[in-house]
Amino acid sequence: MAVPAAPKPETLAAFEAAKGFMPVREGLALYAAAAEAGKLGLPLLEVGTYCGRSTILLADAARAAGTVAVTVDHHRGSEEQQPGWEYHDPSVVDPEVGLMDTLPTFRRTLHRAGLEEHVVAVVGRSPQVARVWAGELGLVFIDGGHTDEHATADYEGWAPRVAEGGLLVVHDVFPDPADGGQAPYRVWLRALESGAFTEVSVTDSLRVLRRSGPGH
């Protein structure tokens, strides 16, 4: 049995040092999925950049595979990151406009990790970017807004772009409402029920599915 791919120690150290929420176990599972998907030679796309913690892993896997990581975010923060909410971080608020702006922190994260040239950062709202994206993707990682509106739009916009044999990864899947919001869970269920995707791994709240048929 093949040993799953693992990031270099310096990549993992950069991941752990970066601002963000993904635990190491889930990060390692994401990296393994990205390394496998990279064999298709297609871009690896992430919805929900925040400050670049998970982007580091996708970029390193893309570098090894000779492809590129694409990360999509408007950089104004999701619902739970706004003032007064649990995940708000005042250090990423732009004092001039009074709104969150995680883009500068993200760029510093990539620079420190030495991965800038392996990433295409798209600043925009996921549904708008999806509408102008024409090509297939080896991997789509959905980790954007966690309302039903945003999670569903991310799935509908990007799941159809996953190539045959490519991977769809969904973060923060919590079957028990006591553990977290249900929108990513409902997206995961929809992917399974579509017949287009088959689950290949579960690591805590991270689910990895492979495209095994048409549709979404």
Side-chain angles (χ1 to χ4, degrees), residues 60-176:
D60 193 49
R63 173 174 60 182
T67 184
V68 66
V70 180
T71 186
V72 180
D73 201 312
H74 50 66
H75 288 280
R76 294 301 190 195
S78 57
E79 298 78 12
E80 66 272 18
Q81 293 163 0
Q82 302 306 317
W85 290 79
E86 181 180 0
Y87 295 104
H88 180 61
D89 183 347
S91 72
V92 292
V93 172
D94 180 343
E96 187 169 324
V97 299
L99 298 172
M100 287 186 64
D101 185 1
T102 53
L103 183 58
T105 306
F106 160 70
R107 296 204 67 181
R108 287 192 289 270
T109 297
L110 278 192
H111 177 73
R112 290 191 197 104
L115 291 166
E116 285 182 292
E117 66 184 275
H118 304 285
V119 176
V120 174
V122 182
V123 181
R125 297 192 174 273
S126 169
Q128 294 172 312
V129 178
R131 281 196 291 272
V132 300
W133 186 275
E136 288 189 315
L137 297 162
L139 176 143
V140 167
F141 175 40
I142 297 179
D143 192 25
H146 286 18
T147 63
D148 278 301
E149 175 192 1
H150 291 125
T152 299
D154 291 341
Y155 177 78
E156 292 179 349
W158 293 108
R161 309 296 198 275
V162 178
E164 179 67 29
L167 299 179
L168 173 69
V169 184
V170 185
H171 194 214
D172 294 326
V173 174
F174 297 112
D176 185 346

Side-chain angles (χ1 to χ4, degrees), residues 176-196:
D176 185 346
D179 295 328
Q182 294 292 283
Y185 173 65
R186 284 188 278 269
V187 160
W188 168 75
L189 282 179
R190 178 173 171 177
L192 288 177
E193 292 166 357
S194 72

Side-chain angles (χ1 to χ4, degrees), residues 26-71:
E26 294 178 343
L28 292 175
L30 175 64
Y31 183 89
E36 181 183 342
K39 295 173 185 176
L40 294 175
L42 296 168
L44 313 175
L45 184 137
E46 165 184 61
V47 181
T49 312
Y50 191 52
C51 295
R53 184 175 171 93
S54 54
T55 316
I56 289 172
L57 301 177
L58 296 180
D60 193 49
R63 173 174 60 182
T67 184
V68 66
V70 180
T71 186

